[in-house]
Amino acid sequence: MAKPIREVPLRAMAGNAVSRRDTAEENLEAILDALQEAGVLRFVRALLEQRQPIAEQVMAKMDTDPTKRGIKNAITLAMGLGSLPEDFGPRVMQALQHGMKRAESASHAPDADKMSIWQLMGMLKDPDVARAIHYLMGFLEGLGKALGSEESHGY
């Protein structure tokens, strides 16, 4: 397995934007000119001049219950996603993409608005359909158990 890159040399990040002949002063001047043209310097200066009222507004917004709950939920979600197997995300996304493509083509079929019980029963014999149903039923069973245990604990 390859070693992770811990540091990227400045030259590698700058590419051709910085040549060896440029001095640090010329580079800084070019950066400042680009920031001035983009309007970033004007924004940063106003931000620094008004930092106290802006900080008060940000802190007031951060101190609201919806924001606190949102931050707690985001952290919990990130921790939950971190506990999933490494290949789970790409595998599920690929399956969702295949499923959406199949659903789109099936919705344009001439008989898409009609389905008999016999057609549905026949589809259940398809191993791909059966696999997806078992997966979803397992998910729903686990979700239901977790929700049931939360209700018994008073959440």
Side-chain angles (χ1 to χ4, degrees), residues 116-126:
S116 71
I117 190 75
W118 304 113
Q119 287 173 313
L120 183 59
M121 296 294 277
M123 291 178 81
L124 291 174
K125 293 180 182 178
D126 181 343

Side-chain angles (χ1 to χ4, degrees), residues 53-146:
I54 291 173
E56 289 171 5
Q57 289 178 9
V58 168
M59 291 310 296
K61 188 64 177 170
M62 295 293 288
D63 199 29
T64 62
D65 285 337
T67 305
K68 289 176 186 176
R69 283 192 307 269
I71 292 170
K72 287 179 183 177
N73 286 335
I75 291 169
T76 303
L77 182 61
M79 288 170 40
L81 290 173
S83 68
L84 295 174
E86 194 172 315
D87 68 333
F88 180 80
R91 190 168 47 99
V92 169
M93 286 308 298
Q94 184 179 21
L96 284 172
Q97 288 172 347
H98 287 323
M100 293 303 293
K101 286 178 186 175
R102 180 66 182 109
E104 186 65 28
S105 65
S107 69
H108 295 319
D111 59 347
D113 57 342
K114 302 175 204 162
M115 180 179 281
S116 71
I117 190 75
W118 304 113
Q119 287 173 313
L120 183 59
M121 296 294 277
M123 291 178 81
L124 291 174
K125 293 180 182 178
D126 181 343
D128 294 330
V129 173
R131 187 178 307 112
I133 289 173
H134 281 285
Y135 190 87
L136 287 174
M137 290 301 140
F139 169 76
L140 290 174
E141 183 181 5
L143 180 65
K145 283 182 180 179

